[in-house]
Structure formats: structure tokens, C-alpha cells
């Protein structure tokens, strides 16, 4: 399972577009007056202008080469202010041997660059936007996590390492071998490296195996297999 395409909604739309296309220089695939699609490694990402007075925000993570964490951090700090947690602007996750940095974009999204240190994928090229390998984590905020996780079993997506689903916290859905995950979380949880609480907003995720997972206009989870 890999994340093939993600669709999200963005307030502060023009600034968000300039941020990703001009400041970060992600390749533009297509655009219209109310949306644009960009390429991030193996993933394409579409932002659609949010309705007036709506301010949706999401959390997602992009993979960086396993040998370029420090270089990626320097590159990012030239463009954004990194978020901090208890004074630290980076974190090490011992369970997956990975390091991350976080920042917010103009739409208020909590963006993560994650370096999976034991991953064999390395790069000798100077770090740039084209160094980002894919979106490896997309968080999906739901009203009932246990019910939503069970619904994904019907499309053959299971908990990482088949761990028991806890009522609180994050639940990683996907196989460790792919290092691509849907992160399910109940609304109200405070995001890591942020003071924002998770809220449910419409969005779509298309996976490489043809599975579509989305939060619809009624803020309900819908999943189907187009493969």
C-alpha cells in the first residue's frame, strides 16, 4: 500500500498555492481557479479552495532520504519556522527508528518531514523538493475511531503489526514493509508539535492498490475498492 493521491481543502488558498509552488517549488501538475495539483515524489496532492469561513486543516508526512535529515532540516529552516515541542524542533521515534521535523503551511496544516533512518533509500543529490520521496502518512480524523478502523478491514487494510486498537491516540493502518500509513485518530486529540486539536474535515486518499478512503461532506468515513 502506498498513498497515490490525496485531496484536501485549504483556506488562505492563494498563499497556500504560492507556498508550495513558489517557495517549496513542488512541480505543478494541473491547476484551475479553485484548485491545484502538485507532485511530491510518488504522491500527487490536490488542494481545493475551502468555502468562505471554513478553515480545514490536516496532518500529513513526507519521507526524506535516510541520509539527509540534517540537510533537509537546514533546507526547511530557510523557508519556514519549525514547530517546537518542549523547546525541541525535532524528535526521534525509537520504535520506528525515525526522526521528524514539523511546521505549518499557510492553510494551517501540520506538515511533517520524516526520515526513516533504517530505510535503505538514500540520495547523493543536494536536498531539494524533488528529494521528498512520497507522502508516507496521512492522518484521518474521525468521530468513532474503533468503528472506522473496523470498516477498513473490509478493504484489506489492517493495523500496523496487527496491534490492538486503543480507544485513544493514533492508530497506524498499513504494513510496515511499505512504510505508508493512514493514521486514524478521534476528533479532539491535540496534535504533536502543535496546540491544535484534531477536527473532522472532508478529504480523500487514493491508495496504490485502488482503495479510496474519504471523509465525505457529511463528515462520515467512506471506503471502497476501485481496483
Amino acid at each position: 500500500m502506498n498513498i497515490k493521491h490525496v485531496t484536501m481543502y485549504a483556506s488562505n488558498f492563494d498563499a497556500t498555492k504560492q507556498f508550495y509552488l513558489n517557495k517549496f517549488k513542488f512541480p505543478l501538475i494541473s491547476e484551475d481557479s479553485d484548485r491545484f495539483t502538485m507532485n511530491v515524489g510518488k504522491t500527487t496532492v490536490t488542494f481545493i479552495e475551502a468555502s468562505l469561513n471554513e478553515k480545514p486543516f490536516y496532518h500529513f508526512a513526507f519521507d526524506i532520504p535516510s541520509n539527509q535529515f540534517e540537510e533537509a532540516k537546514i533546507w526547511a529552516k530557510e523557508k519556514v519556522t519549525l514547530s517546537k515541542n518542549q523547546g525541541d524542533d525535532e524528535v526521534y521515534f525509537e520504535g520506528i527508528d525515525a526522526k521528524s521535523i514539523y511546521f505549518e503551511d499557510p492553510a494551517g496544516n501540520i506538515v511533517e518531514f520524516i526520515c526513516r533512518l533504517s530505510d535503505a533509500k538514500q540520495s547523493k543529490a543536494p536536498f531539494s523538493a524533488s528529494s521528498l520521496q512520497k507522502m508516507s502518512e496521512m492522518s484521518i480524523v474521525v468521530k468513532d475511531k474503533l468503528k472506522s478502523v473496523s470498516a477498513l478491514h473490509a478493504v484489506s487494510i489492517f493495523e500496523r503489526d496487527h496491534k490492538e486498537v486503543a480507544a485513544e491516540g493514533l492508530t497506524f493502518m498499513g504494513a510496515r514493509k511499505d512504510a505508508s500509513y493512514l493514521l486514524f485518530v478521534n476528533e479532539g486529540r491535540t496534535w504533536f508539535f502543535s496546540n491544535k486539536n484534531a477536527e473532522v474535515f472532508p478529504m480523500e486518499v487514493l491508495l496504490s492498490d485502488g482503495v479510496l478512503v474519504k471523509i465525505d461532506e457529511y463528515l462520515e468515513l467512506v471506503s471502497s475498492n476501485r481496483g
Side-chain angles (χ1 to χ4, degrees):
M1 179 189 94
N2 278 292
I3 298 172
K4 184 177 181 180
H5 184 81
V6 174
T7 300
M8 295 174 279
Y9 292 81
S11 61
N12 207 7
F13 179 75
D14 290 339
T16 301
K17 182 178 177 181
Q18 296 299 317
F19 179 84
Y20 284 109
L21 300 184
N22 292 349
K23 179 174 285 190
F24 273 50
K25 300 192 181 301
F26 288 135
L28 176 67
I29 295 177
S30 64
E31 63 179 328
D32 209 331
S33 60
D34 66 342
R35 68 193 62 202
F36 70 95
T37 299
M38 63 187 189
N39 184 77
V40 187
K42 296 180 180 178
T43 309
T44 54
V45 179
T46 296
F47 284 106
I48 300 175
E49 186 172 14
S51 300
L52 189 64
N53 298 325
E54 292 186 356
K55 296 186 182 298
F57 64 92
Y58 311 84
H59 162 259
F60 45 89
F62 296 125
D63 273 3
I64 61 179
S66 60
N67 63 324
Q68 290 191 315
F69 178 76
E70 294 300 335
E71 190 176 349
K73 184 177 178 180
I74 292 170
W75 182 85
K77 288 177 72 172
E78 292 174 347
K79 298 168 173 56
V80 297
T81 300
L82 297 184
S83 302
K84 292 186 177 182
N85 183 61
Q86 297 182 346
D88 295 325
D89 62 3
E90 64 180 67
V91 61
Y92 174 66
F93 297 105
E94 185 176 0
I96 57 173
D97 191 26
K99 298 178 77 173
S100 289
I101 56 174
Y102 297 78
F103 56 89
E104 288 194 14
D105 68 14
N109 294 310
I110 301 158
V111 186
E112 177 182 356
F113 282 5
I114 184 167
C115 181
R116 302 176 193 277
L117 299 170
S118 57
D119 191 332
K121 297 182 179 67
Q122 298 189 357
S123 175
K124 295 182 180 179
F127 189 87
S128 68
S130 62
S131 302
L132 294 166
Q133 298 168 338
K134 63 181 179 180
M135 182 185 287
S136 59
E137 297 177 6
M138 182 69 218
S139 292
I140 301 179
V141 184
V142 292
K143 299 176 182 178
D144 185 335
K145 187 177 70 166
L146 296 179
K147 179 181 177 181
S148 299
V149 165
S150 296
L152 283 201
H153 294 170
V155 289
S156 300
I157 300 177
F158 300 94
E159 298 83 347
R160 183 176 68 187
D161 301 331
H162 298 282
K163 289 185 176 180
E164 183 177 353
V165 180
E168 302 299 326
L170 291 171
T171 294
F172 285 71
M173 303 294 289
R176 188 180 287 266
K177 64 180 178 64
D178 298 323
S180 292
Y181 307 104
L182 302 181
L183 279 59
F184 277 78
V185 60
N186 285 322
E187 58 185 340
R189 177 186 184 271
T190 302
W191 288 116
F192 196 36
F193 273 76
S194 173
N195 59 5
K196 292 183 174 180
N197 292 330
E199 298 182 44
V200 186
F201 296 109
M203 48 88 71
E204 290 189 3
V205 183
L206 177 63
L207 304 176
S208 58
D209 55 7
V211 171
L212 178 69
V213 180
K214 71 177 182 178
I215 301 296
D216 65 16
E217 65 269 28
Y218 304 106
L219 303 184
E220 297 293 337
L221 177 77
V222 178
S223 60
S224 60
N225 195 329
R226 295 182 171 183

